[in-house]
Amino acid sequence: MLKTTLAGLRAHKLRLLLTSLAITLGVGFIAGTFVLTDTVKAGFSQQATAEADKVALAVLPKDGDATLPQRTLEQVRGLPGVLEAQGLIRGSAPLLGKDGKTVGSRATIGISIVSGRLGRAAIITGTGPGSDDQAAVLDKNTAEAQGLKPGDTITVLDPRHREQRFRLVGIIDTGLDQELGYSGAIGFTPATAQRMTGAKGFVEIDVAGDAAGLKQAVAGAAGAGAVVKTGAELAESLSAAAGVELESLTTGLLLFGLVSMLVAALVIYNTFNILVAQRAREMALLRCIGATRGQVFGSIMLESTAVGLLSSALGLLVGYGLGAATLAVLGALDSPLPTNATVALSPATMASGLALGLLVTVGAALLPARAATGVAPIAALRTQAEEQTFRTGVIRVILAAVFLVAGLGTAGVGALALDPGGMVPLFVVMAGGALTFLGVLILGPVLVKPLSALVGWIPAKLFGVPGRLAVDNSGRNPRRAATTTVALTIGVTLMTLISVVTASTRETMTARLDSQFPIDYLLATQEREAAVPRSVADELRRRPELASVLQIRETKAKVSGDSVKIGTFNGPIKPEVTSGSMARLESGQVAVSDQAVKQLGLRLGDTVAVGTPKAGTVTLRVVAVLNADSSALPALTVAERAFDEYFDQVPDSRVMVNIKDGVPAAQARKVVDAATATYPMVQVTSATEVRGQFDESLDMMLMIITGLLGLAILISLLGIANTLSLSVHERTRESALLRALGLTRPQLRRMLSVEALVLGLIGALVGVVLGGVFGWAAMRAMIAGAGFVVPGGQIALFVVLSGLAGVLAAVLPARRAARASIVGSLATG
């Protein structure tokens, strides 16, 4: 049997080619993900080791928000065996751009650059500040974005928002520090860094020394509020912190890889199912000459094992190539991820890729192999394989009904019964989707005939006899057709779901922004702190070009021991009130967001004690509860006059401006810019720009996810091509008979193409329905009161592309069938 199986594999090399491709692509995607993440992690580790290599010990505060005082540095410096100790300073130091406004959405961070043996700054161009208090260095991303180079003069705001000018002497790489990479960094001498940031302590103290017991001595000097790490431990923690986002990325990519492997498993199952049916006479002859059921089963499993091993090995090579190519692209795009590590297939990646590919292939071949053992020796006397019949059994209907009811019910609970916004409702909807999909999978063969008649009605009319034959063929073997189309259904379902969620999110957020904050311009600082002078809003109100100006002020206050934001407003605003009313908010009253109501255990009519710096503890009565998701107001909102009595003249946190109808946007922008020109901290943001950025983010996410799901779609199309190819082989005599009865070669090709078109459209339509239903459920689970939008154009495109792709998948099988000899084909069997 072993020789027979090996001989069969050698004789039919192309028979399992598409099956091998399915596994190769799936394993390649997963292996490529591991190669990418392993390489980046190695890069992180190398970079972290290089950064921490100069440090013998590092003293860090236990509380991440705390700092280490000057006396701790002095105590550490006084210890025997300490050769040098330096405190690192970090704090806000906003950089001004060439327009005189602060740069970026977050303030750049000022850091101290230490020279000497503890110097860890990676200077790319130029030099460090050394001991020059008028010199500074800048991170490479900010320098590139602002068009700055060594020799230029930069302007930075000090803690009192006064402009200070420095000579740019160098460009630095922020390395693994994610915070500095996001906000940007300006490096000064330690004394200048303390002056420019106003920092009261150190975020880290680095120590050089090699005396025995030094770590214990430093820990004793630092006290209980600090933790001491060796250079190696510091490198490990830096690398781990930098890899947190990478782990999330890896998890996401692996999910797409597993979807691809699930689709590949369906393709393999279908392939072996067809092969077993085609080889019924061959296996019957083996039984006639003495092969046992176990030997027949073993031969199929051996064949699947050989295919699985070969495909998985090829998949590892493909994965290596994908990982290397991705790293090359990231390097060309100047990605912040380290791409300098050696690309390699680790033993763990090789073992997991081979095991996964083998497991999926052998697992998918189990049922067909079991069916092969049922072939009776008498089947060898048949001149042609029997057409497989399908009957809708009661058990199938009951199981499908159970899964469908359970799935839809579970999804309904997640969408309608649970409070939206958390992960639990979304996971419940996902569980419901999985159960529903199992129900559809079980019911698939029952649905194929009516769906093929529905989908094929127009092709049958358009293409005449070949079209009618194709529609009949698509429903002849419902079990096979259902397994073929369900692979495509998975990909289209996910793509439709993502499209619905993206379009609905865009519509929901835009509608809320328009209804709750119908503004043209937002004036605020980078950190949204109370730093916008009230005079700005007063000046804007006097301008005839503007229709309305809304001021929002907020600060923090103590409520039941918690620090809670409290504020007020001046101007037109209509927050969504869930209960009560704030039409006439008076002194002694407060409107509370629904989130704060839960946090503080309040309800409408209750009183709450608020600690204020000017009026002491005041008691306020809750007169309204606001929807926090759609309100621009803080957790607690009081009347404007009362707020001034409690907290004095606090500046505005945000100012929202609307243009008067008929006034050109460019003219209004000049007015707003003029009012804020003398306040570099105040940034002017256009609501149109914010919406545009939001839309760009959603479109980018949709593009990336669609690209990743494209692999699953490709594998499913390979499945359609594989099914048609094997089906053509199975129907050789039938096709020859049709040719003998007058069907031309172009008509035969057209028949097979229409058959593939129908299969593709069936899978796409089922996927569109499932994706639409669970897209709605996901939106209800994620966002309270979310809108529901079906992007008809995108979904229609998915359906059309699925049909066209099915036709393309049929090109080679159709050509082969049309070129076959009529006499030779009739003689087979």
Side-chain angles (χ1 to χ4, degrees):
M1 287 300 295
L2 177 61
K3 290 181 179 179
T4 302
T5 302
L6 295 177
L9 286 171
R10 286 194 300 269
H12 304 285
K13 298 181 184 69
L14 296 178
R15 187 170 60 187
L16 298 174
L17 175 62
L18 294 178
T19 307
S20 301
L21 280 177
I23 289 295
T24 298
L25 289 174
V27 172
F29 188 93
I30 292 176
T33 299
F34 281 127
V35 168
L36 174 65
T37 52
D38 287 347
T39 306
V40 173
K41 282 181 180 178
F44 278 141
S45 180
Q46 290 176 12
Q47 210 165 340
T49 302
E51 281 191 24
D53 196 39
K54 298 179 179 180
V55 178
L57 298 171
V59 184
L60 303 163
K62 277 187 177 178
D63 183 355
D65 296 327
T67 56
L68 301 169
Q70 176 69 30
R71 67 175 180 274
T72 301
L73 176 59
E74 293 171 356
Q75 289 170 348
V76 170
R77 280 176 173 168
L79 292 173
V82 173
L83 303 176
E84 185 179 345
Q86 295 283 357
L88 304 184
I89 295 170
R90 175 179 296 204
S92 177
L95 173 70
L96 299 188
K98 295 178 180 179
D99 59 354
K101 293 291 183 179
T102 50
V103 169
S105 59
R106 285 185 58 183
T108 46
I109 296 176
I111 59 174
S112 57
I113 301 295
V114 177
S115 57
R117 73 180 78 195
L118 288 175
R120 289 163 51 189
I123 307 293
I124 300 175
T125 307
T127 63
S131 58
D132 186 352
D133 289 338
Q134 297 304 312
V137 295
L138 193 61
D139 73 283
K140 63 175 182 178
N141 293 332
T142 305
E144 288 176 2
Q146 298 302 312
L148 297 170
K149 60 185 182 303
D152 292 342
T153 298
I154 61 173
T155 303
V156 186
L157 297 181
D158 66 13
R160 295 186 180 182
H161 300 167
R162 295 175 302 189
E163 296 183 7
Q164 306 288 339
R165 288 176 173 77
F166 296 89
R167 188 178 72 263
L168 187 63
V169 296
I171 306 298
I172 62 171
D173 184 354
T174 56
L176 302 182
D177 198 310
Q178 302 296 301
E179 183 183 19
L180 296 183
Y182 177 74
S183 61
I186 307 175
F188 309 100
T189 62
T192 305
Q194 197 282 327
R195 174 171 61 86
M196 292 301 297
T197 62
K200 303 300 181 183
F202 306 110
V203 295
E204 181 181 329
I205 295 175
D206 290 344
V207 180
D210 57 0
L214 185 59
K215 182 176 181 179
Q216 291 76 7
V218 171
V227 60
V228 179
K229 295 182 178 181
T230 64
E233 291 169 342
L234 178 63
E236 186 178 344
S237 61
L238 287 172
S239 181
V244 169
E245 292 184 7
L246 183 64
E247 290 177 4
S248 302
L249 174 65
T250 303
T251 302
L253 290 175
L254 287 179
L255 286 176
F256 287 104
L258 291 176
V259 168
S260 300
M261 289 303 291
L262 173 61
V263 174
L266 291 169
V267 171
I268 295 161
Y269 166 76
N270 214 27
T271 301
F272 275 98
N273 225 11
I274 297 171
L275 290 176
V276 167
Q278 289 179 356
R279 293 159 60 189
R281 292 189 68 219
E282 175 188 325
M283 288 180 287
L285 285 171
L286 289 173
R287 294 290 310 282
C288 283
I289 60 175
T292 65
R293 289 175 181 265
Q295 287 176 317
V296 171
F297 178 84
S299 70
I300 302 295
M301 297 310 296
L302 179 61
E303 190 171 311
S304 67
T305 301
V307 171
L309 285 173
L310 178 62
S311 304
S312 300
L314 291 173
L316 291 175
L317 295 177
V318 170
Y320 179 87
L322 285 174
T326 305
L327 287 166
V329 171
L330 290 174
L333 296 176
D334 200 20
S335 166
L337 295 176
T339 57
N340 55 337
T342 303
V343 182
L345 275 173
S346 67
T349 298
M350 295 174 67
S352 59
L354 288 172
L356 183 63
L358 186 61
L359 181 66
V360 169
T361 309
V362 173
L366 275 174
L367 287 178
R370 185 173 177 274
T373 63
V375 177
I378 197 68
L381 301 177
R382 298 188 186 126
T383 57
Q384 183 152 344
E386 280 187 354
E387 182 76 29
Q388 290 187 351
T389 57
F390 172 77
R391 294 178 182 176
T392 304
V394 176
I395 296 178
R396 178 183 294 274
V397 174
I398 292 174
L399 277 176
V402 169
F403 277 109
L404 287 173
V405 170
L408 293 174
T410 302
V413 169
L416 302 173
L418 300 178
D419 291 335
M423 293 303 296
V424 173
L426 189 58
F427 283 137
V428 171
V429 168
M430 290 170 61
L435 291 172
T436 304
F437 192 82
L438 286 174
V440 172
L441 186 63
I442 295 170
L443 203 60
V446 181
L447 300 174
V448 164
K449 275 201 172 183
L451 285 177
S452 63
L454 174 65
V455 170
W457 185 77
I458 294 178
K461 297 291 184 184
L462 288 177
F463 297 104
V465 173
R468 291 195 295 273
L469 287 172
V471 173
D472 290 340
N473 284 337
S474 64
R476 272 171 59 181
N477 195 326
R479 186 180 287 109
R480 178 191 302 169
T483 310
T484 301
T485 57
V486 80
L488 183 61
T489 298
I490 292 175
V492 175
T493 297
L494 293 174
M495 291 177 73
T496 303
L497 188 149
I498 296 300
S499 297
V500 167
V501 168
T502 303
S504 300
T505 301
R506 180 184 286 113
E507 181 70 20
T508 301
M509 293 307 176
T510 301
R512 288 188 176 181
L513 189 63
D514 289 341
S515 62
Q516 301 299 325
F517 324 119
I519 61 168
D520 294 311
Y521 297 108
L522 171 67
L523 281 60
T525 64
Q526 290 170 315
E527 307 300 332
R528 299 293 191 266
E529 71 262 26
V532 182
R534 296 187 180 190
S535 59
V536 172
D538 293 338
E539 181 180 344
L540 291 174
R541 279 199 178 91
R542 294 192 292 267
R543 298 303 305 238
E545 297 89 349
L546 306 178
S548 64
V549 177
L550 169 65
Q551 298 165 267
I552 294 179
R553 303 180 196 118
E554 58 188 29
T555 187
K556 288 186 177 180
K558 287 291 183 181
V559 180
S560 303
D562 294 330
S563 180
V564 179
K565 282 192 173 182
I566 182 171
T568 188
F569 64 94
N570 178 8
I573 187 172
K574 295 178 181 178
E576 183 181 342
V577 180
T578 58
S579 61
S581 172
M582 61 177 296
R584 296 184 61 186
L585 197 60
E586 299 176 354
S587 182
Q589 297 178 341
V590 63
V592 186
S593 71
D594 49 9
Q595 292 179 356
V597 162
K598 293 179 181 178
Q599 178 186 349
L600 301 173
L602 299 173
R603 59 183 178 181
L604 196 66
D606 286 353
T607 58
V608 56
V610 180
T612 71
K614 190 176 178 184
T617 301
V618 296
T619 302
L620 306 175
R621 184 166 59 88
V622 179
V623 296
V625 178
L626 311 180
N627 184 348
D629 292 332
S630 60
S631 175
L633 297 174
L636 305 180
T637 302
V638 297
E640 185 180 17
R641 181 176 297 177
F643 184 81
D644 289 343
E645 293 174 358
Y646 303 153
F647 301 98
D648 209 353
Q649 295 290 315
V650 176
D652 295 330
S653 300
R654 284 162 288 164
V655 177
M656 301 178 182
V657 180
N658 265 334
I659 305 172
K660 185 172 289 185
D661 290 342
V663 176
Q667 181 181 347
R669 180 62 186 252
K670 289 180 181 179
V671 170
V672 176
D673 286 342
T676 60
T678 56
Y679 305 104
M681 289 286 291
V682 180
Q683 294 183 330
V684 179
T685 306
S686 166
T688 304
E689 293 172 1
V690 173
R691 293 190 187 100
Q693 291 170 358
F694 181 70
D695 286 343
E696 284 180 9
S697 299
L698 283 178
D699 291 338
M700 180 64 71
M701 181 186 73
L702 178 63
M703 188 186 306
I704 292 172
I705 292 177
T706 301
L708 293 172
L709 287 176
L711 180 65
I713 299 289
L714 175 61
I715 293 175
S716 64
L717 294 176
L718 287 175
I720 292 178
N722 208 10
T723 300
L724 281 175
S725 180
L726 294 170
S727 182
V728 164
H729 175 74
E730 190 177 53
R731 286 151 42 187
T732 300
R733 296 186 75 242
E734 176 186 314
S735 299
L737 184 59
L738 288 172
R739 291 284 314 285
L741 292 174
L743 200 69
T744 64
R745 287 184 176 183
Q747 286 178 320
L748 181 60
R749 288 197 297 266
R750 198 175 307 139
M751 180 189 77
L752 293 171
S753 298
V754 173
E755 184 177 342
L757 171 67
V758 171
L759 290 176
L761 291 178
I762 290 174
L765 288 177
V766 175
V768 164
V769 172
L770 290 175
V773 169
F774 288 97
W776 169 83
M779 285 303 302
R780 292 295 300 260
M782 290 190 297
I783 304 174
F788 177 62
V789 177
V790 178
Q794 287 183 355
I795 290 177
L797 182 63
F798 293 157
V799 175
V800 171
L801 289 178
S802 297
L804 290 177
V807 173
L808 288 175
V811 169
L812 290 179
R815 286 186 62 189
R816 194 174 70 215
R819 287 158 58 183
S821 165
I822 297 176
V823 176
S825 298
L826 287 173
T828 60

